[in-house]
Amino acid sequence: FVKERGKNDFMIFNQLMEHQSLERRLLENALRQGINEQQFYLEYQPKINMSTNELIGMEALVRWKHPDLGIIPPGKFIPLAEETGLIVPLGEWILRESCRQSSAWQDQGYPPLHLSVNVSVSQLEDIYFVDKVKTILHETGLDPKWLEFEITESVLASVKSTVSILKEIRNLGIHISVDDFGTGYSSLSYIKDLPIDTLKVDQSFVKDIHTNKESKEIAKAIINLAKSIGLNVIAEGIELKEHVDELSKDGYILGQGYFFSRPLKVGAFEDFMTTNHAAS
Ligand code: C2E
Ligand code: MG
Ligand code: MG
Ligand code: MG
């Protein structure tokens, strides 16, 4: 019986694996085709100075609209895009498109905003990355002082050549932000070794900040750490008024989250800029 059972489990396991790798291959092909056929678009999520309520920037977030499958969230395809290297051409498109859009908004007379773009490990490892960035800045005319790269803590702590690449990026005038800070399970030593500008407090610390003393103390500790070594700090995942209240108690801090706005399509973001500008 045990033998039978084991055999069956094995067959089911095999079928599952085949199924998964089939699904993976289908998704990979769809991803490749999606890049060629430009099925991607960007949404922009506001970043707010929580003590003045002022709009100060935005994060570009990629969306995939597949003709049959509909909207596929980044959590589903970014990991695969990274594994297959497709994030390199996709990431280049994301950077070019978001810089072009930011530059166009400034030309149209909207108040200039900081633009944050997520950059993944394969992009940093691409030897042409810095050249591509230079070309994009040149093509789009965006002043690099408005551009920031969000790089996750685990990537920053793991890539060997990060220091020199980050220095080159920094020399172009682009800022560096540590995304999902506090979740990378790494030592903090990279903070003093790497040229970074901002810590982005992960949403897991923000979520229960108003009900859980530990979360609150961790968030406060990160904010104090950042401030005391001269870094900027922003909290992500602000969903409630209570989150704003808890975090802005201790003075100037930036925030991003559904409480202020979900990520917005171009037209809706323009409305947000107009309203916010009129209000301030
Ligand atoms: P991330 O860079 O940490 O982005 C923040 C994520 O949190 C976004 O999810 C955003 O929509 C979501 N979010 C914002 N405010 C709230 C809130 O108040 N509550 C909650 N629960 N969530 C909130 P999204 O757009 O699904 O992106 C997920 C992740 O996918 C991103 O995490 C990033 O790691 C990756 N990603 C998204 N766009 C890009 C991109 O253009 N390039 C790369 N390389 N990665 C991207
Ligand atoms: Mg991010
Ligand atoms: Mg994040
Ligand atoms: Mg995240």
Side-chain angles (χ1 to χ4, degrees):
F1 175 74
V2 172
K3 250 188 177 167
E4 277 294 294
R5 171 82 213 268
K7 200 174 156 196
N8 276 340
D9 281 357
F10 183 69
M11 277 166 62
I12 291 166
F13 176 76
N14 249 350
Q15 278 168 3
L16 196 70
M17 286 313 286
E18 267 170 33
H19 185 72
Q20 278 181 348
S21 69
L22 180 66
E23 192 176 290
R24 233 187 85 102
R25 277 208 309 277
L26 287 174
L27 197 60
E28 185 182 333
N29 285 337
L31 196 55
R32 218 176 281 280
Q33 193 177 1
I35 293 170
N36 289 333
E37 295 179 3
Q38 301 186 337
Q39 293 165 3
F40 295 87
Y41 67 94
L42 299 179
E43 288 189 339
Y44 297 90
Q45 187 176 33
K47 293 192 177 189
I48 305 288
N49 174 343
M50 295 196 286
S51 46
T52 62
N53 233 10
E54 188 189 2
L55 172 68
I56 58 104
M58 64 220 163
E59 177 174 7
L61 294 158
V62 69
R63 303 291 180 249
W64 181 11
K65 190 164 192 278
H66 188 275
D68 307 318
L69 303 173
I71 307 229
I72 303 171
K76 277 216 147 170
F77 67 86
I78 293 284
L80 184 64
E82 278 171 0
E83 282 169 43
T84 53
L86 288 169
I87 193 69
V88 172
L90 181 59
E92 191 181 343
W93 177 81
I94 292 165
L95 184 62
R96 177 174 288 107
E97 176 54 21
S98 56
C99 289
R100 186 203 60 74
Q101 183 63 76
S102 289
S103 183
W105 277 332
Q106 290 191 20
D107 291 345
Q108 289 160 31
Y110 288 103
L113 297 174
H114 294 276
L115 167 68
S116 304
V117 180
N118 294 286
V119 171
S120 63
V121 59
S122 326
Q123 290 179 275
L124 283 183
E125 287 172 345
D126 171 16
I127 55 165
Y128 301 110
F129 182 64
V130 175
D131 286 337
K132 287 174 184 171
V133 173
K134 279 188 205 161
T135 306
I136 289 171
L137 288 170
H138 184 74
E139 277 173 16
T140 61
L142 183 71
D143 185 332
K145 77 175 182 199
W146 295 110
L147 184 59
E148 174 182 76
F149 288 161
E150 290 191 6
I151 304 170
T152 61
E153 181 177 39
S154 36
V155 167
L156 285 177
S158 70
V159 179
K160 272 256 148 34
S161 52
T162 339
V163 190
S164 58
I165 297 162
L166 292 190
K167 279 185 181 151
E168 283 188 71
I169 292 169
R170 259 285 207 74
N171 286 339
L172 296 175
I174 299 167
H175 293 249
I176 311 284
S177 174
V178 184
D179 206 348
D180 304 343
F181 184 79
T183 63
Y185 308 109
S186 66
S187 90
L188 288 176
S189 62
Y190 74 92
I191 289 190
K192 66 178 173 53
D193 299 332
L194 297 179
I196 53 183
D197 301 282
T198 303
L199 299 184
K200 196 168 185 188
V201 185
D202 190 68
Q203 49 192 52
S204 58
F205 300 115
V206 174
K207 205 156 62 183
D208 56 358
I209 203 170
H210 55 306
T211 52
N212 182 308
K213 186 147 187 324
E214 280 76 29
S215 293
K216 185 168 134 187
E217 292 304 328
I218 292 172
K220 269 168 76 179
I222 297 174
I223 293 166
N224 289 334
L225 167 72
K227 286 183 176 173
S228 64
I229 56 175
L231 300 177
N232 299 317
V233 61
I234 179 164
E236 66 179 327
I238 307 279
E239 292 186 354
L240 305 168
K241 175 78 165 57
E242 285 89 330
H243 296 157
V244 179
D245 292 343
E246 279 304 333
L247 288 165
S248 45
K249 251 183 212 162
D250 307 307
Y252 174 81
I253 181 171
L254 305 179
Q256 176 182 352
Y258 298 165
F259 177 74
F260 301 109
S261 170
R262 295 205 164 237
L264 300 170
K265 295 198 171 113
V266 169
F269 193 83
E270 287 171 351
D271 293 343
F272 192 95
M273 284 194 285
T274 306
T275 313
N276 194 278
H277 190 56
S280 61

